[in-house]
Amino acid sequence: MNKENVKLGIAPIAWTNDDMPDLGGENTFEQCVSEMALAGFQGCEVGNKYPKDVATLKKALEIRGLKIANQWFSSFVLTKPMEEVERDFIEQCKFLKAMGADRIGASEQSYSIQGQMNTPVFDCKYEMSGSEWEKFAKGMNRLGDIAESMGISLVYHHHMGTVVQTAEEIDKMMEMTDSNKFSLLFDSGHLAYCGQDYLQVLAKHVDRVKHVHLKDIRPDVVKRVKEKKLSFLQGVREGAFTVPGDGCIDFAPVFDILDRADYRGWMIVEAEQDPAIANPFEYALKARKYIKDKAKI
């Protein structure tokens, strides 16, 4: 891939889990960002231990040569007043703008089961009705308008246990949203997890992909999650996710599709697992070496 077009980052969720703070609770923010930089990454996303003060966070990142690439935004377009969603969205866009970032990764959390510890992730996913699809698309287009007016691109994070999880749902979402103001955050791991053809999804929508998560899975663990009717969070604890080069996904075709489409932007290694079992620095190094070998960056 073209080194001039692509920036490589890593997510802090490998060091400290946002949904289950006991995973990596002992790891400090300073350790996290120092090890990111030492492993050879250029940037990161925002974690729950990151300083909220812009000046403090900027200083901590700048001395390590890191930049903020993106931040997760939990949208509730279906279940909260749109005025409330817009207010929270604007505040987060302001923070990202101040940090020099130009992406915000939204994921609709209305009816999401991803954070429910005892709800089987493969059995209880919510399906939107026709009217809910209309409301969802209208709300996302509105957030896309707001983001654009602030110099930020809205990228949507499809995710296990949420209303947009499958290839079919991604297709429908992309059809119903404004291609000029609404883009896709492509996540290989979440599509592989639910048995979807992630390469087909990427090839189909690559022209609207503006952010990439490089996430791998351990198929034996995913099979166990399905058979034992485990939740998404239980699957994380079991080790369903891992970094590129440690799971079953061959990322060479992923890199090829992105390269042929002249992808420009961040690729973020993201793999939430128990840091007491999967040492974050060790796995960051493993991912960085794999990407260098496969993508030549």
Side-chain angles (χ1 to χ4, degrees):
M1 297 188 74
N2 190 331
K3 293 181 180 180
E4 301 302 316
N5 293 346
V6 179
K7 293 171 285 188
L8 196 60
I10 191 166
I13 200 165
W15 281 264
T16 304
N17 193 290
D18 291 347
D19 297 315
M20 297 177 287
D22 63 297
L23 292 186
E26 70 282 3
N27 295 328
T28 66
F29 161 71
E30 289 80 6
Q31 175 190 343
C32 172
V33 291
S34 294
E35 291 182 351
M36 287 173 170
L38 192 58
F41 291 92
Q42 300 164 275
C44 57
E45 296 187 341
V46 180
N48 63 0
K49 288 188 177 179
Y50 281 40
K52 302 297 188 290
D53 177 69
V54 170
T56 303
L57 180 55
K58 268 189 174 181
K59 180 181 179 181
L61 296 180
E62 284 175 357
I63 62 174
R64 294 169 173 87
L66 296 174
K67 294 181 179 180
I68 294 297
N70 171 46
Q71 184 178 13
W72 170 283
F73 176 76
S74 294
S75 63
F76 292 89
V77 167
L78 298 178
T79 54
K80 286 187 178 181
M82 198 60 198
E83 295 80 7
E84 182 179 337
V85 177
E86 289 181 15
R87 183 193 66 223
D88 294 343
F89 186 75
I90 289 169
E91 285 306 305
Q92 192 161 316
C93 282
K94 287 179 179 177
F95 171 77
L96 287 168
K97 191 71 176 176
M99 289 303 305
D102 60 3
R103 299 286 185 270
I104 183 168
S107 183
E108 181 64 19
Q109 291 300 293
S110 299
Y111 310 115
S112 172
I113 60 171
Q114 74 177 71
Q116 297 175 10
M117 183 58 75
N118 298 306
T119 303
V121 70
F122 278 103
D123 298 335
C124 301
K125 194 188 92 65
Y126 188 85
E127 306 287 339
M128 284 190 281
S129 66
S131 61
E132 285 174 325
W133 269 107
E134 293 290 342
K135 184 177 183 180
F136 167 75
K138 182 180 179 181
M140 284 298 154
N141 281 330
R142 173 60 185 148
L143 295 183
D145 283 333
I146 293 171
E148 184 187 50
S149 72
M150 301 178 71
I152 302 282
S153 290
L154 171 61
V155 293
Y156 189 89
H157 190 345
H158 57 92
H159 199 287
M160 284 296 298
T162 69
V163 293
V164 181
Q165 169 182 294
T166 67
E168 182 181 1
E169 288 165 340
I170 292 170
D171 287 348
K172 189 167 184 176
M173 175 180 71
M174 301 308 277
E175 289 170 8
M176 296 179 71
T177 50
D178 186 341
S179 61
N180 296 312
K181 299 172 183 176
F182 182 92
S183 302
L184 185 65
L185 186 164
F186 171 77
D187 191 306
S188 52
H190 282 280
L191 284 166
Y193 197 119
C194 60
Q196 304 290 287
D197 188 336
Y198 51 88
L199 290 177
Q200 185 180 56
V201 171
L202 178 59
K204 184 172 184 177
H205 299 293
V206 68
D207 289 340
R208 289 178 67 183
V209 169
K210 286 193 175 181
H211 201 68
V212 174
H213 277 177
L214 303 175
K215 177 179 283 191
D216 211 335
I217 63 166
R218 296 185 176 98
D220 57 325
V221 179
V222 172
K223 184 172 182 285
R224 189 160 72 244
V225 169
K226 194 168 189 176
E227 290 175 347
K228 292 189 174 182
K229 298 186 179 298
L230 301 181
S231 68
F232 177 78
L233 296 181
Q234 288 169 333
V236 170
R237 287 186 179 275
E238 293 275 327
F241 292 120
T242 187
V243 300
D246 190 59
C248 69
I249 296 176
D250 178 5
F251 282 86
V254 172
F255 298 143
D256 286 344
I257 292 171
L258 291 169
D259 194 35
R260 287 197 301 270
D262 196 31
Y263 174 75
R264 295 168 183 265
W266 286 94
M267 296 196 304
I268 305 292
V269 171
E270 187 198 35
E272 56 267 48
Q273 47 189 330
D274 186 347
I277 298 171
N279 180 274
F281 182 49
E282 177 186 340
Y283 277 76
L285 288 170
K286 182 181 293 189
R288 187 66 189 91
K289 182 181 184 303
Y290 176 87
I291 295 166
K292 183 177 182 180
D293 291 343
K294 291 284 185 175
K296 309 303 178 188
I297 58 173

